[in-house]
């Protein structure tokens, strides 16, 4: 036998030996209880004959790049948007305690493939937490001894930088986050309500398989944008709040007052800042199309004033109505220098189309439809002071493709060099009587029906305008009920 053939057989035998020596995943006896916490003894398998040795744990740690990797069977009741195909919990803390050679080692670092911004019970400010997402049904993993009839969904990784070869005790404490479910989603989705959640220690092969499969993640709320943020953050600050949206409404016949029904385009949006100390490291935007009552088509932009030296990169997402699927061509990456000024919706007429009308959500006898959702994740190259950012509600503006005009709130100037009114100064976006063509109102506001003048629907609006905003500043609270399209924020905020 020649030398090359001998080397081939030696290599094959070596590979076979390694494959035979590879550890199998181990289903564990201890669980995370319905109270949302659990103490899991990693030496204690569900089937006693499968109890691992210290050498087994060390082999699993070594093949997973010096980490122990756990699988979690997410077993949650359907709250918020949770359902059989997508359900989740958030993890507040993980502590791994190892006793070896008379020494005790504690590890608290951990990670999962997904994160979300969530408010803890009793709070409204959202911070970033790791999440575990899964689905009801069979496991994506190959069945091994002890796995029959058990499904696993999520992966939790704990870095361990000491050998476990001589360990006499290895215990992991897991505590799920108690979320403020009164806020609705995403908190209601990531609460813990059922259980118990089963666990297993994963081999490298099973860990890779489960991570790639990512069961339930496509339908889970507030996952994609948060994972697109790369900056380290301590907390998040939202405008108008962590649970509310500004509503921007437009009359798109500018500079002509026209029917003044202010439903030509209606958009809900909010802005969040990722904070490290007192500095802003990232920016996120969420928004929805609410109504489109125009024969024109538009592009919708959001301008947030920033220092000239500010710069960064971002991702724009555009989701199909009531879906986790993005439109063709999205997500899109982009870079900006100076102010944040980005077109977030393009071609509104084609984006929001009713099957039975030219308009969407503005006619009395036509069924409501849901609009597109958009989101932005933007990381600053260098942190900036929050005091250097322009004040909310910022400058959400419209470009009307049919007429070539851009439309801003009165306190802003035009920005697009290509628009018909590119020299419009601050205060120019009113007619001679002082009527604006763009307004910002709270999210409870309902738009007028088609061709119903805003002043006739909200009867104190005229006094608000003629007093230059000094009187009747809550004009939007008292509509004529038979002249509005009752869309409701619970409908248009579909995720």
């Amino acid at each position: 036998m020649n030398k090359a053939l001998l080397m081939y057989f030696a290599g094959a035998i070596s590979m076979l030996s390694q494959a035979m020596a590879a550890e199998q995943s181990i289903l564990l006896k201890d669980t995370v209880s319905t109270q949302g916490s659990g103490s899991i003894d990693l030496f204690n398998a569900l089937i006693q004959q499968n109890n691992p040795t210290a050498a087994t744990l060390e082999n699993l740690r070594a093949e997973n790049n010096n980490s122990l990797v756990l699988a979690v069977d997410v077993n949650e009741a359907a709250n918020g948007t949770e359902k059989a195909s997508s359900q989740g919990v958030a993890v507040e803390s993980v502590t791994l305690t190892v006793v070896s050679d008379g020494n005790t080692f504690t590890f608290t670092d951990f990670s999962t493939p997904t994160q979300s911004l969530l408010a803890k019970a009793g709070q409204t400010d959202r911070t970033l937490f790791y999440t575990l997402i899964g689905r009801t049904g069979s496991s994506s993993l190959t069945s091994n001894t002890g796995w029959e009839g058990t499904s696993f969904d999520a992966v939790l990784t704990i870095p361990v930088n000491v050998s476990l070869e001589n360990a006499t005790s290895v215990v992991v404490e897991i505590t799920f986050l108690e979320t403020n479910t009164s806020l609705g989603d995403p908190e209601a989705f990531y609460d813990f309500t059922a259980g118990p959640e089963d666990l297993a220690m994963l081999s490298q092969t099973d860990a890779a398989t489960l991570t790639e499969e990512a069961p339930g993640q496509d339908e889970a709320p507030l996952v994609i944008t948060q994972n697109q943020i790369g900056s380290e953050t301590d907390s998040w600050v939202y405008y108008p709040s962590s649970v509310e949206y500004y509503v921007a409404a437009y009359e798109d016949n500018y500079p002509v007052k026209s029917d003044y029904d202010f439903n030509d385009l209606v958009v809900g949006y909010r802005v969040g800042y990722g904070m490290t100390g007192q500095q802003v490291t990232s920016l996120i935007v969420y928004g929805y199309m609410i109504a489109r009552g125009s024969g024109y088509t538009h592009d919708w932009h959001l301008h947030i004033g920033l220092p000239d030296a500010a710069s960064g990169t971002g991702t724009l997402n555009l989701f199909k109505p009531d879906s986790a699927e993005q439109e063709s061509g999205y997500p899109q990456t982009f870079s900006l220098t100076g102010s944040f000024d980005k077109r977030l919706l393009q071609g509104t007429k084609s984006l929001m189309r009713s099957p039975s009308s030219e308009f969407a959500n503005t006619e009395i006898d036509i069924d409501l439809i849901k609009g597109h959702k958009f989101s932005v994740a933007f990381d600053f190259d260098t942190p900036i002071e929050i005091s250097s950012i322009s004040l909310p509600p910022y400058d959400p503006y419209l470009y009307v493709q049919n007429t070539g005009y851009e439309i801003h709130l009165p306190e802003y100037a035009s920005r697009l060099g290509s628009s018909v009114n590119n020299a419009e100064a601050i205060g120019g976006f009113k007619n001679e009587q002082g009527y604006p063509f763009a307004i910002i109102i709270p999210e409870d506001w309902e738009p007028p029906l088609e061709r119903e003048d805003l002043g006739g629907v909200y009867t104190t609006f005229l006094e608000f305008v003629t007093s230059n905003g000094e009187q009747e500043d809550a004009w939007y609270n008292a509509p004529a009920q038979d002249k509005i399209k009752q869309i409701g924020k619970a409908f248009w905020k579909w995720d």
Side-chain angles (χ1 to χ4, degrees):
M1 186 176 293
N2 61 41
K3 183 176 181 181
L5 194 58
L6 282 171
M7 292 178 64
Y8 169 80
F9 278 118
I13 292 170
S14 175
M15 292 175 63
L16 181 61
S17 298
Q18 292 176 19
M20 293 176 64
E23 299 291 349
Q24 289 187 335
S25 298
I26 302 169
L27 183 60
L28 299 170
K29 181 177 181 180
D30 298 324
T31 65
V32 177
S33 72
T34 54
Q35 282 69 47
S37 62
S39 180
I40 295 90
D41 183 350
L42 300 191
F43 280 119
N44 197 3
L46 179 64
I47 299 175
Q48 188 172 2
Q49 68 186 37
N50 294 335
N51 284 346
T53 64
T56 301
L57 295 184
E58 173 57 20
N59 289 341
L60 288 170
R61 184 190 77 92
E63 70 177 51
N64 280 297
N65 297 316
N66 298 327
S67 296
L68 289 178
V69 182
L70 300 179
V72 182
D73 177 11
V74 180
N75 181 28
E76 287 294 297
N79 289 334
T81 53
E82 284 178 293
K83 49 194 171 184
S85 58
S86 184
Q87 48 196 242
V89 293
V91 184
E92 183 167 21
S93 65
V94 173
T95 301
L96 178 74
T97 303
V98 177
V99 178
S100 179
D101 293 326
N103 299 310
T104 300
F105 305 90
T106 302
F107 304 93
T108 57
D109 288 342
F110 70 97
S111 64
T112 71
T114 57
Q115 294 175 282
S116 186
L117 285 172
L118 299 167
K120 298 177 68 171
Q123 301 180 12
T124 57
D125 288 339
R126 287 180 168 134
T127 53
L128 205 58
F129 288 93
Y130 283 107
T131 57
L132 299 167
I133 301 170
R135 66 184 177 208
T136 301
S138 60
S139 176
S140 302
L141 304 178
T142 303
S143 295
N144 293 314
T145 302
W147 287 82
E148 300 298 337
T150 304
S151 63
F152 284 88
D153 310 288
V155 174
L156 187 151
T157 301
I158 309 170
V160 182
N161 63 4
V162 298
S163 172
L164 302 179
E165 193 168 14
N166 297 321
T168 54
S169 174
V170 182
V171 176
V172 59
E173 304 278 349
I174 299 176
T175 301
F176 291 157
L177 179 71
E178 184 179 355
T179 60
N180 185 354
T181 56
S182 66
L183 301 179
D185 282 332
E187 283 76 14
F189 181 93
Y190 291 108
D191 67 338
F192 55 90
T193 51
E197 266 77 5
D198 295 324
L199 296 106
M201 280 189 297
L202 291 180
S203 66
Q204 190 278 330
T205 299
D206 284 345
T209 298
L210 201 53
T211 300
E212 183 178 359
E213 178 68 16
Q217 290 183 26
D218 287 346
E219 301 177 62
L222 289 183
V223 172
I224 296 176
T225 301
Q226 306 320 320
N227 285 347
Q228 291 168 345
I229 289 293
S231 301
E232 293 292 330
T233 57
D234 297 330
S235 62
W236 288 84
V237 177
Y238 273 104
Y239 295 95
S241 79
S242 63
V243 296
E244 297 173 305
Y245 285 73
Y246 297 113
V247 170
Y250 302 88
E251 174 54 55
D252 68 359
N253 271 288
Y254 175 88
V256 180
K257 188 168 178 280
S258 190
D259 60 10
Y260 212 65
D261 56 12
F262 261 91
N263 61 22
D264 296 334
L265 186 69
V266 184
V267 176
Y269 68 99
R270 68 176 175 182
V271 175
Y273 301 126
M275 306 292 297
T276 300
Q278 297 300 308
Q279 291 191 308
V280 178
T281 57
S282 55
L283 178 155
I284 57 177
V285 181
Y286 295 109
Y288 296 87
M289 292 186 70
I290 300 174
R292 184 194 58 77
S294 176
Y296 290 162
T297 191
H298 329 89
D299 299 336
W300 189 81
H301 301 244
L302 181 61
H303 162 223
I304 302 173
L306 301 173
D308 291 342
S311 64
T313 57
T315 302
L316 170 62
N317 308 288
L318 183 64
F319 298 92
K320 295 179 179 180
D322 208 19
S323 173
E325 181 183 355
Q326 298 210 44
E327 286 286 353
S328 176
Y330 292 85
Q332 299 174 354
T333 58
F334 63 93
S335 298
L336 289 176
T337 300
S339 290
F340 180 94
D341 191 348
K342 182 67 179 172
R343 180 180 63 193
L344 303 185
L345 296 170
Q346 182 177 12
T348 57
K349 190 172 184 178
S350 62
L351 285 177
M352 195 171 193
R353 303 182 68 91
S354 170
S356 53
S357 172
E358 179 185 7
F359 306 135
N361 296 352
T362 64
E363 295 178 288
I364 190 168
D365 294 324
I366 305 298
D367 290 341
L368 293 171
I369 66 168
K370 294 185 178 180
H372 281 69
K373 178 177 72 173
F374 58 88
S375 64
V376 175
F378 186 82
D379 288 306
F380 290 102
D381 294 328
T382 303
I384 63 174
E385 297 293 331
I386 195 168
S387 60
S388 69
I389 301 175
S390 65
L391 296 176
Y394 315 108
D395 177 22
Y397 66 96
L398 207 61
Y399 174 72
V400 185
Q401 293 185 13
N402 306 73
T403 65
Y405 281 100
E406 55 184 294
I407 302 173
H408 295 252
L409 297 169
E411 58 266 35
Y412 288 92
S414 57
R415 295 189 60 82
L416 302 176
S418 59
S419 68
V420 173
N421 54 335
N422 63 53
E424 198 78 66
I426 291 174
F429 294 96
K430 293 181 179 180
N431 69 3
E432 293 179 354
Q433 291 76 40
Y435 284 88
F437 290 81
I439 55 174
I440 303 294
I441 49 273
E443 63 175 23
D444 291 323
W445 182 75
E446 304 281 17
L449 290 168
E450 199 61 39
R451 299 180 182 86
E452 292 283 355
D453 188 290
L454 182 66
V457 178
Y458 292 86
T459 55
T460 58
F461 178 72
L462 177 60
E463 191 172 350
F464 172 76
V465 170
T466 56
S467 68
N468 201 27
E470 294 182 3
Q471 299 177 26
E472 300 294 346
D473 58 357
W475 61 267
Y476 46 80
N477 285 330
Q481 293 294 324
D482 61 340
K483 295 182 179 181
I484 59 173
K485 185 66 173 180
Q486 297 184 5
I487 303 173
K489 61 184 180 182
F491 180 83
W492 60 259
K493 292 197 295 187
W494 47 259
D495 182 9

